[in-house]
Amino acid sequence: VLFVLYALIVAAIFGRCLFQWNALRRIVRSSAEAPQSLIDTAQSLARDVRAGHSPRIRISDKISSPQIAGFFRPVILVPTGLCERLSPDELRMALAHELAHLRNTDLWLSVVPMLAGAILFPFPHVWLAVHEYLAAREEACDAVAAKTGDAAKYARLLLTVATTPRVGASAVAMTSSMRASPSASGNTDS
């Protein structure tokens, strides 16, 4: 009986992950091509932060903070209107944060804590380990982004992003998002 209950809970957790992954795929498919100036900025920045290559840059009205998605063909999703709301330096730092996730292979590495959290859900120390991993991942990307500009401006940018009202699917799992930065909001769910 306990094993059946355990298996059902694990299946439900994996089902939720698949549902969120599918929702994110729909967001990427419905997104629009970014302006060339933003693409050029990302390409230049990818070299600066040693991200290897610049992923596709897309604009979406279904998210409220920049995020990177896609294991095989990564894409940075930028909220509609963000380019107008942020200064060029702030936009550059926001892109640097997302490119740092790409450089650090965070999308691939995020599978490990997701699997551990799903399979070992009865153990609270696993929850803590996953939380700490996510916090450290975001802090590492924050450090890269802060180095591309003024650290004080980056801190203000984090506050701006953290206080932006969420849009329905912006908290989709298996993405990396500036909103998830512990220094921005204390929330480390990416």
Side-chain angles (χ1 to χ4, degrees):
V1 171
L2 284 179
F3 179 75
V4 171
L5 180 61
Y6 169 80
L8 288 173
I9 293 172
V10 169
I13 292 170
F14 280 119
R16 180 176 178 254
C17 290
L18 285 173
F19 175 79
Q20 291 173 330
W21 178 71
N22 229 3
L24 181 61
R25 285 185 50 194
R26 284 192 301 275
I27 291 171
V28 170
R29 276 188 290 219
S30 69
S31 63
E33 188 69 33
Q36 189 61 43
S37 60
L38 189 59
I39 294 170
D40 294 342
T41 299
Q43 288 174 342
S44 167
L45 196 54
R47 287 187 295 274
D48 293 349
V49 301
R50 298 185 191 128
H53 69 284
S54 177
R56 296 172 298 149
I57 311 295
R58 309 281 294 176
I59 304 293
S60 175
D61 60 354
K62 294 179 172 63
I63 59 170
S64 55
S65 61
Q67 45 193 277
I68 189 163
F71 289 109
F72 298 105
R73 293 182 48 209
V75 57
I76 294 178
L77 294 169
V78 177
T80 303
L82 188 73
C83 297
E84 292 78 32
R85 290 193 313 266
L86 298 182
S87 72
D89 283 345
E90 290 172 326
L91 191 56
R92 186 172 169 81
M93 289 185 287
L95 289 173
H97 177 97
E98 301 310 320
L99 287 166
H101 282 297
L102 180 65
R103 180 188 79 177
N104 298 341
T105 63
D106 287 343
L107 292 172
W108 284 100
L109 292 175
S110 68
V111 172
V112 174
M114 188 268 305
L115 287 173
I119 295 169
L120 302 172
F121 75 88
F123 303 104
H125 62 279
V126 173
W127 306 345
L128 180 61
V130 169
H131 181 276
E132 290 300 314
Y133 165 76
L134 294 173
R137 179 181 76 181
E138 291 301 321
E139 288 170 9
C141 293
D142 287 341
V144 170
K147 286 180 185 175
T148 64
D150 178 30
K153 281 185 182 178
Y154 186 67
R156 285 191 295 276
L157 173 62
L158 289 174
L159 287 173
T160 299
V161 171
T163 57
T164 300
R166 289 183 184 240
V167 176
S170 69
V172 173
M174 299 187 59
T175 66
S176 299
S177 169
M178 287 183 60
R179 177 174 300 288
S181 172
S183 53
S185 65
N187 177 9
T188 57
D189 298 330
S190 268

